[in-house]
Amino acid sequence: MQYIDKLVDEVRICEFGALTHAKAAVPEPEAETAVPNPPASIKSKHPPAEDDAEGENDEETSESFKSTKAKRSTPQVTNQPVSQKDDEDENDGKTSKVFKSKRAKPGPKGQPKADKCAHCLNQEYFCDRNLSSNDSNVPCSKCRRWNKNVDKVWGKRDSHPIFRPCLSLPTTNLKEELLLTPRNHAVAQSEHQNQYKLNHNSPRARKTMRQQPNIVITGTPGVGKSTHAEAVAARTNLTHLTINDFARERGCLDGHDNRLNSAIVDDDRLLDALTAEGVKEKGGYIIDWHACDLYPESWIDLVVVVRADVEVLQKRLVGRGYEGEKLQENIDSEFFQVLLEEARESYEEEIVVELKSDETGDLDANVERIVSWVETWRTNRASENEDDDIETGAT
Ligand SMILES: Nc1ncnc2c1ncn2[C@@H]1O[C@H](COP(=O)(O)OP(=O)(O)OP(=O)(O)O)[C@@H](O)[C@H]1O
């Protein structure tokens, strides 16, 4: 419950144990009425244009490296201009300049910051004191996120206890209201859609050389990524790749964040190591890490964002010994669904699914769905291989 006390604080990152940055842009809410296509073979779902853009012909050149938010442990987020990102992506998939910056590297110093953004001026209950801009007319990242999410998460903006103070000061205890309001209402709806998507949607409609799928399992520390990944790996023979361990083993660390007591991962080196591992070509990996935005889109076939109720998560993290700032930032990140938004911004909507993991029953159901997805992917892959053999005249 303590998370509410610091709701106004900047969502910062932690690395290896805590989470991430405030995002400058928030995607539009998921289309509530989107109905996934019926299952079909991978091939039948490949529009030629997409194949051309992302198939094996141009290999890495069209890859969209997305690690533009490299300073994960900084309060300020520096957004990479799109044009620069595209230019750098052309360097044949090897680590582009975008990756030169390290995660959790300290941000720019010395810039005077406005105390509050224009929006915060009237929103004293959640003003953002760590603005990424020194222009007070630019809404801070937290205000932008709240504006986007408040209707979605709370149903109606007017019913949100934090917005009410804008009209009149609250008459009841703010914390109590926050806890009593059914904030999971909209989350439950979108969860239903996500599960439907996972159950019914065809695996990635993209031609790939891989014979096995790659799955990213992401989420705030403690939501259950590793538990899911292990269970799915055991059922599917996919390789569970814990990035924390992988980065350490392959020398991809770049120092230590003393404030958060977390190792700092160098994106550049990590992607080089993953490339050397053959993640893109071979496939067959379940990539388990809280960050999901650094992998090229063409590497990934499914992104699972594991979610947990903040109170459940808090108990888990406290049980692990998290406390203070590190605990708070993780709870805030889950509350603000930072990782879900990051996934939605970084990958096509059709491959991103959000799965709740509060109880054992959730875990079992989620694993079942992911396993079923893998089986369908493999079936479609085999079917495409057969088609290719027929086309090439192979026996
Ligand atoms: N659905 C669930 N029901 C009950 N307990 C769960 C569930 N999912 C995870 N847990 C428990 O929560 C704890 C954290 O799980 P896990 O280590 O898988 O999280 P994580 O997201 O991988 O964390 P990290 O990012 O720090 O590695 C574990 O004790 C696990 O048993």
Side-chain angles (χ1 to χ4, degrees), residues 137-199:
N137 289 319
V138 177
C140 68
S141 52
K142 183 164 283 187
C143 284
R144 278 200 294 270
R145 189 177 302 120
W146 270 103
N147 278 331
K148 288 276 184 183
N149 289 342
V150 70
D151 291 334
K152 192 170 166 192
V153 176
W154 293 83
K156 273 186 171 179
R157 180 166 307 205
D158 289 349
S159 68
H160 193 294
I162 287 184
F163 276 83
R164 198 179 302 163
C166 313
L167 309 173
S168 61
L169 287 172
T171 52
T172 55
N173 185 305
L174 187 61
K175 278 193 211 172
E176 290 302 315
E177 283 199 51
L178 275 166
L179 293 173
L180 292 174
T181 308
R183 71 168 192 84
N184 281 331
H185 168 69
V187 172
Q189 286 181 346
S190 84
E191 184 181 324
H192 174 76
Q193 288 159 11
N194 277 309
Q195 290 180 351
Y196 181 90
K197 191 157 52 174
L198 195 54
N199 282 340

Side-chain angles (χ1 to χ4, degrees), residues 220-227 316 320 357-360 363:
T220 309
V223 290
K225 296 182 294 297
S226 303
T227 311
R316 287 182 195 164
R320 274 183 181 187
S357 177
D358 294 340
E359 309 164 349
T360 312
L363 175 66

Side-chain angles (χ1 to χ4, degrees), residues 118-142:
H119 184 74
C120 288
L121 287 175
N122 296 320
Q123 308 284 340
E124 60 182 290
Y125 282 83
F126 60 102
C127 62
D128 189 330
R129 300 188 192 95
N130 293 296
L131 300 179
S132 55
S133 167
N134 57 5
D135 179 358
S136 65
N137 289 319
V138 177
C140 68
S141 52
K142 183 164 283 187

